[in-house]
Amino acid sequence: MDYVLNPARVQFIKSFKWSRVAIIFDDIEYFRWNIKNLIQLLNNEEIDILTMESISHDPSLQVQSLKAYLEGMYGRKYVWMIPGWLNDISRDSWDTFDWKTIPCNREQVREAMDGYIGFVADPYLDDLDEIDFNGVKPSTSQKQFIASIMQFNTDLILSYDAIMVMALAMNASLSLLSQQTPRQRLEDFTYDNEDMANLLLREIAKLNFTGASGKVKFDEKYSRQSNVGIEQYREGNITTIGKYKNDLGIIDWYSGVQWLGK
């Protein structure tokens, strides 16, 4: 989901008229692809990339990357922007982490973390009455079910809408398949049937509906577009300070950013 965070990151940078950034990323294919997209968006806005560093899986290099506190790369002169899901990982492993493996203690790491900005895909719809699956509205019992699964985790909501995407795409393809020569049916699908797979992808690209996770639409690479929650780490607590609305390209601020120092 990191791909969908990039427009929010760039809009956040533009909001404060910043013109220079530096990038650190994990050197695996998933993040390399995401960073390539981020670089393109930054270049489009004429935002300079001062430096770009990748973290390999060599433990000695990873230790070097954790010296933000020792190098003084924190505080009011620096704004760290990270994926919001990293907070879940750090919170779960905070007490079990072997602090002897890095040159900073937990209090120093907390101090270096203070004030960071996190970005996380926001799959929750504020008003369930807005749900509209291309003209089909959920019943009262269905909305109650959706509200119940929202209490667990975001994966359930995203999976719910993913099933609706498949159902709507397959339903739209029925008449198109019947017009082909020879005539085809969904029951004839196999994983090596590229023609039917491409037809389904084309129908997915046309979808634009409001699901349980908000607006559901896809870009030219069939990647789901999403609103993005913007968070700030403040003295050990996470505060949601705004939401990037993908369809409008704007940030809806809930509260201001709490800048460190004067």
Side-chain angles (χ1 to χ4, degrees):
M1 292 290 289
D2 278 58
Y3 177 87
V4 304
L5 305 180
N6 288 337
R9 290 165 170 155
V10 173
Q11 186 59 38
F12 183 89
I13 293 168
K14 289 175 57 182
S15 296
F16 299 102
K17 295 181 173 57
W18 295 336
S19 59
R20 299 180 299 171
V21 300
I23 299 174
I24 301 175
F25 67 96
D26 194 0
D27 192 15
I28 60 175
E29 183 62 28
Y30 174 77
F31 289 113
R32 285 197 294 268
W33 187 78
N34 286 322
I35 291 301
K36 182 179 179 180
N37 171 259
L38 176 59
I39 291 172
Q40 180 180 350
L41 295 179
L42 290 170
N43 288 337
N44 291 344
E45 299 296 336
E46 298 183 346
I47 296 171
D48 293 332
I49 302 173
L50 296 179
T51 185
M52 183 165 57
E53 301 289 342
S54 61
I55 303 173
S56 75
H57 291 279
D58 179 344
S60 64
L61 295 178
Q62 288 183 330
V63 169
Q64 293 298 318
S65 71
L66 293 172
K67 291 186 176 179
Y69 180 87
L70 298 180
E71 298 294 336
M73 297 175 63
Y74 69 99
R76 64 189 183 91
K77 291 185 178 181
Y78 297 87
V79 178
W80 286 88
M81 296 187 290
I82 68 172
W85 50 261
L86 278 178
N87 179 65
D88 295 331
I89 297 175
S90 62
R91 183 172 58 243
D92 294 340
S93 60
W94 194 266
D95 292 330
T96 59
F97 183 74
D98 185 2
W99 292 95
K100 296 179 182 178
T101 61
I102 64 172
C104 301
N105 59 43
R106 67 178 67 194
E107 288 73 24
Q108 291 172 330
V109 172
R110 277 201 175 100
E111 185 176 352
M113 289 172 58
D114 199 31
Y116 80 69
I117 305 297
F119 296 84
V120 59
D122 183 1
Y124 293 112
L125 189 66
D126 296 330
D127 185 358
L128 297 185
D129 289 332
E130 295 180 10
I131 297 177
D132 189 330
F133 299 111
N134 281 4
V136 178
K137 304 282 288 185
S139 65
T140 300
S141 60
Q142 287 174 318
K143 285 190 289 186
Q144 290 173 343
F145 171 73
I146 293 170
S148 68
I149 63 176
M150 281 183 169
Q151 301 175 20
F152 294 95
N153 59 53
T154 60
D155 291 341
L156 293 176
I157 293 298
L158 294 171
S159 298
Y160 186 94
D161 278 347
I163 293 172
M164 294 305 302
V165 166
M166 291 186 286
L168 291 169
M170 288 189 290
N171 186 64
S173 70
L174 291 175
S175 61
L176 298 174
L177 290 171
S178 66
Q179 297 170 18
Q180 294 190 347
T181 305
R183 180 176 178 179
Q184 297 191 65
R185 305 175 304 163
L186 285 174
E187 294 90 333
D188 301 324
F189 177 79
T190 60
Y191 286 104
D192 58 356
N193 189 332
E194 293 186 9
D195 291 338
M196 191 179 297
N198 289 332
L199 187 150
L200 289 170
L201 282 174
R202 288 195 295 271
E203 293 307 310
I204 287 176
K206 297 177 185 177
L207 292 176
N208 187 350
F209 65 90
T210 302
S213 60
K215 182 66 69 175
V216 177
K217 61 180 180 179
F218 300 85
D219 64 15
E220 66 279 0
K221 295 182 179 178
Y222 307 107
S223 294
R224 165 78 188 274
Q225 302 299 287
S226 175
N227 291 335
V228 176
I230 303 175
E231 305 171 335
Q232 186 174 32
Y233 183 84
R234 299 174 177 174
E235 299 180 348
N237 298 306
I238 299 294
T239 301
T240 299
I241 60 175
K243 177 188 289 188
Y244 173 75
K245 296 186 175 181
N246 182 73
D247 54 337
L248 300 176
I250 63 171
I251 295 176
D252 182 11
W253 295 103
Y254 301 155
S255 64
V257 178
Q258 182 175 299
W259 303 113
L260 301 178
K262 297 181 180 179

